[in-house]
Amino acid sequence: MKRILGAGFAGIALTAMATACWAAKTPDVQEAPFGQTASGKAVQVYTLTNEHGIQARIMTYGGTLVSLKTPDRNGKLADIVLGFDSVKPYVEGVPYYGALIGRYANRIANGRFTLDGKTYQLPKNDGPNSLHGGDKGFDKRLWTAKPFETKEGPGLRLTYVSADGEEGYPGKLTTHVTYQLRNDNSLSIEYEATTTKPTPINLTNHSYFNLSGNPQNTILNDVLLINADKFTPINATMIPTGELQPVAGTPFDFRKPTVIGARINDNNEQLHYAHGYDDNWVLVKPHPDAMTTAAVLTDPGSGRVLEVKTTEPGIQFYTGNFQDGKPAGKGTVYNYRTGLTLETQHFPDSPNQPSFPSTILRPGQTFKSHTVFIFRTTK
Ligand code: GLA
C-alpha cells in the first residue's frame, strides 16, 4: 500500500516502510490496487484516515464506499457499511453496495420522460421502470480519483464524464464527487455537475449501514428519526403517485426516534408495495437548499449514532428488503435486512412529476448537492 498524502506532506509519495512508522492517528490517504474491471482496467482503493482513527475506503469503480470504520461507545472500531474485499463481486453485480448513483438515483416511470418537447427512452432495469441510472449507471463506471488533504481532513475528488446519450440521457455530463473524511468525525460528500444539454440529474450514495458493526445482526432493532412530516406514497411498481402524504398516524412517522422493526410488518399497503420500508421522505426545510438534519440513526447495542445532514429535499430509507445472502462479503453473508440505506436525493420520478422540485440541469448551470454523515456515540 502506498501512502500518498499526509499531514504536512501533501503530494509527497512515501514508501510502504515509511508508512508503517506513522502513528495510526496521523490523518492520511493511502492507495492500493483493488482488482480489475471486466475489460481489464485497474481499479484502485483509497484509504482515508482522520486524526481520530476513523477510516473510509473508497474505490474508483462506482466511486464506491467500500468500508467505513467508526468507534463504538468503548472506542472499538468496526466497519459500519456492507461491502466486499475486492472489486470482483461489484463487477459481477451487487445491488449498489456503497456506490455513487447517477445519472438519476431512484426510479423513472416506464423509463421515459419528456424534456423541452422531446421524449427520451431509458433502459427498463426494474420491472417497467428505470432504476438508478439504467443498465450501466454511475455505480458501474470507472471514476478518476485525486486525493487531497486540507486542515479539515483527508479527501478524494472523483470525476466521471458521461457521454451524450449514455444510458439514454441527453448531454455530456461531467460529474465531480468529493469525499472528505473530516477531523470532526464526519464523512462529507459533495456533488457537482455540468452538462452540454438539458438533462435530469439526481445523485446519491447507496451505502448499506449496519451500525452494530456485525452484519450478522439485522437493522431492525436500530432506532431512527427522520426529519419529515410527509412522504411520497408509491404505486405497486414503486412510482410516486404525486401526492405528499402526511406521516402522522402511519408507520412512516419517524418524527420521534422509533425502533425500525416496530411497525415494519404492519398491514399497510405502502409497506406491502415496498416489502418493508423503501420510500422517499419529504424533509422539513426552512428553505429548499438548506443543509439540515435528515435522519438520526442509533444502534443501542454498540452506542453508535449516525446523523445525516443534506441540502437535498428528500431521503430514501430502504431496509434491505431485497437482500438474500448473496454474494458473501468481507467474510460474512448479507442476509435479509442486515443493511439499511439513507439515500439523500430529489424525489423519485421527478422528471414526470411537475409538482415535485425540478431535477433538470441546463447548460451554463452547475448542479450542487452536499450530504454529511456524522459519527458519534451515546451511552
Ligand atoms: C434502492 C431502491 C430499492 C432497491 C435497492 C437496491 O434503494 O429503492 O428498491 O432497488 O435500491 O436493491
Side-chain angles (χ1 to χ4, degrees), residues 95-96 106-107 126 131-132 206 208 238 278 316 318 322 341 343:
Y96 312 103
N106 217 299
R107 292 172 177 79
D126 187 62
L131 174 68
H132 292 334
H206 201 295
Y208 288 72
M238 301 188 63
D278 191 356
Q316 186 86 3
Y318 164 63
F322 301 119
T341 72
E343 303 156 58

Side-chain angles (χ1 to χ4, degrees), residues 6-277:
F9 287 89
I12 300 175
L14 299 178
T15 63
M17 241 178 82
T19 307
C21 304
W22 280 74
K25 288 187 180 175
T26 304
D28 72 358
V29 184
Q30 302 195 7
E31 182 189 350
F34 205 56
Q36 298 185 341
T37 63
S39 62
K41 292 204 178 102
V43 175
Q44 299 299 113
V45 68
Y46 292 83
T47 304
L48 318 183
T49 308
N50 83 352
E51 67 184 25
H52 305 289
I54 290 184
Q55 202 184 72
R57 298 183 84 206
I58 297 150
M59 67 162 165
T60 49
Y61 184 78
T64 302
L65 180 63
V66 170
S67 81
L68 179 59
K69 291 186 180 155
T70 71
D72 67 6
R73 63 162 67 84
N74 301 316
K76 192 169 163 264
L77 288 181
D79 195 347
I80 61 161
V81 296
L82 310 188
F84 304 88
D85 293 320
S86 81
V87 75
K88 198 163 171 276
Y90 296 94
V91 168
E92 287 167 356
V94 293
Y96 312 103
Y97 279 60
L100 296 177
I101 309 295
R103 289 188 191 189
Y104 198 92
N106 217 299
R107 292 172 177 79
I108 294 183
N110 303 308
R112 197 184 308 130
F113 64 92
T114 300
L115 179 55
D116 297 342
K118 198 171 162 205
T119 298
Y120 296 87
Q121 184 63 53
L122 313 169
K124 296 179 181 178
N125 59 335
D126 187 62
N129 305 316
S130 193
L131 174 68
H132 292 334
D135 291 330
K136 198 172 173 193
F138 286 6
D139 59 299
K140 297 177 188 69
R141 304 283 174 177
L142 202 55
W143 295 63
T144 56
K146 223 177 139 197
F148 67 92
E149 190 168 336
T150 69
K151 65 177 183 343
E152 277 83 34
L156 194 67
R157 182 171 159 87
L158 296 164
T159 301
Y160 176 67
V161 181
S162 169
D164 186 2
E166 188 178 283
E167 295 298 303
Y169 287 92
K172 176 176 156 191
L173 186 78
T174 302
T175 303
H176 303 286
V177 178
T178 306
Y179 285 96
Q180 189 170 34
L181 187 61
R182 295 186 169 164
N183 293 323
D184 64 4
N185 292 344
S186 65
L187 179 66
S188 157
I189 312 180
E190 281 180 88
Y191 304 84
E192 224 180 86
T194 51
T195 184
T196 58
K197 291 181 187 161
T199 185
I201 181 168
N202 193 19
L203 303 177
T204 194
N205 173 281
H206 201 295
S207 288
Y208 288 72
F209 293 98
N210 184 319
L211 293 191
S212 77
N214 175 4
Q216 298 298 315
N217 300 326
T218 72
I219 44 73
L220 296 173
N221 295 325
D222 281 4
V223 176
L224 181 67
L225 173 144
I226 304 179
N227 183 21
D229 50 20
K230 297 189 187 79
F231 73 110
T232 52
I234 49 177
N235 66 22
T237 74
M238 301 188 63
I239 294 296
T241 61
E243 193 194 340
L244 304 186
Q245 187 183 322
V247 294
T250 77
F252 296 84
D253 190 352
F254 283 92
R255 289 173 298 174
K256 292 200 185 102
T258 306
V259 175
I260 291 170
R263 301 164 301 182
I264 199 167
N265 296 320
D266 281 11
N267 189 10
N268 173 286
E269 188 184 56
Q270 289 294 308
L271 289 172
H272 290 317
Y273 285 157
H275 310 281
Y277 292 108

